[in-house]
Amino acid sequence: MKRLRYESGKIDSVDARIMDALFDNARISHAELGRMIGLSPPSVAERIKRLEEAGIIEGYTISINPKALGYHIACWLRIRPIPGQLEKVAKLLQTIPEVVECDRITGEDCFLARAYVSSIEDMQALIDKIIPFAMTNSSIIQSSPVKKHLPLIQQDM
């Protein structure tokens, strides 16, 4: 049986540096990345390919500033479906464009959704779409002292 390189969940320091660099700039070239970490572009490409094949790197994305698009309010919605409405609420949340991410969670609430809206009135309209099927509790995001980053990467030494 072939042993997978990342079977233990641990990676080496070079792969960790590659992921850090890609997280900061997913458009960086293999040549530039190689210069940063001391590898040839083909070696960088091969390591990235292995990280992708192992499911560690799932994709590449961009970061958008919602305020620049007119969405001046970011909020979290804690959502507790009424009995029998869990699946309906999950499907509804998938159709609401203002909801940009949503997790099913443990505790009193079932879902935690992040949304961007232009105004308090738009936030109210968003909540009004949900309340026929669930109770909601909302919080407006004032600031984000911890920016999105990679989780701790366990490395083989």
Side-chain angles (χ1 to χ4, degrees), residues 26 39 79 104 106 124 135 147-148:
L39 289 178
I79 303 160
R104 183 160 176 195
T106 61
Q124 181 176 334
M135 293 179 282
K147 297 296 181 195
K148 193 173 201 173

Side-chain angles (χ1 to χ4, degrees), residues 10-150:
K10 295 183 179 179
I11 61 168
D12 66 22
S13 63
V14 174
D15 285 342
R17 291 172 58 203
I18 288 171
M19 289 190 305
D20 281 337
L22 288 172
F23 188 82
D24 289 339
N25 178 7
R27 294 181 60 174
I28 191 170
S29 70
H30 291 165
E32 179 62 25
L33 190 48
R35 281 190 289 279
M36 287 174 58
I37 61 175
L39 289 178
S40 69
S43 294
V44 168
E46 180 59 32
R47 282 179 172 264
I48 291 172
K49 180 181 175 189
R50 284 195 303 241
L51 290 164
E52 291 169 344
E53 289 172 350
I56 294 170
I57 295 177
E58 294 182 322
Y60 301 86
T61 188
I62 61 172
S63 179
I64 300 292
N65 178 351
K67 287 183 180 179
L69 297 173
Y71 300 107
H72 299 287
I73 298 172
C75 60
W76 286 108
L77 301 172
R78 289 177 300 286
I79 303 160
R80 186 182 322 160
I82 58 178
Q85 298 298 310
L86 183 84
E87 289 302 317
K88 182 172 185 107
V89 170
K91 288 179 181 169
L92 174 65
L93 291 169
Q94 292 171 1
T95 69
I96 299 173
E98 295 89 351
V99 174
V100 297
E101 64 182 297
C102 182
D103 294 306
R104 183 160 176 195
I105 59 172
T106 61
E108 289 185 27
D109 302 317
C110 293
F111 299 104
L112 181 63
R114 185 181 191 123
Y116 293 105
V117 293
S118 299
S119 65
I120 294 296
E121 293 79 17
D122 289 344
M123 185 174 158
Q124 181 176 334
L126 168 63
I127 292 168
D128 287 348
K129 292 177 186 176
I130 300 167
I131 58 174
F133 313 104
M135 293 179 282
T136 65
N137 188 326
S138 58
S139 298
I140 293 174
I141 299 170
Q142 294 178 317
S143 66
S144 298
V146 177
K147 297 296 181 195
K148 193 173 201 173
H149 59 85
L150 292 174

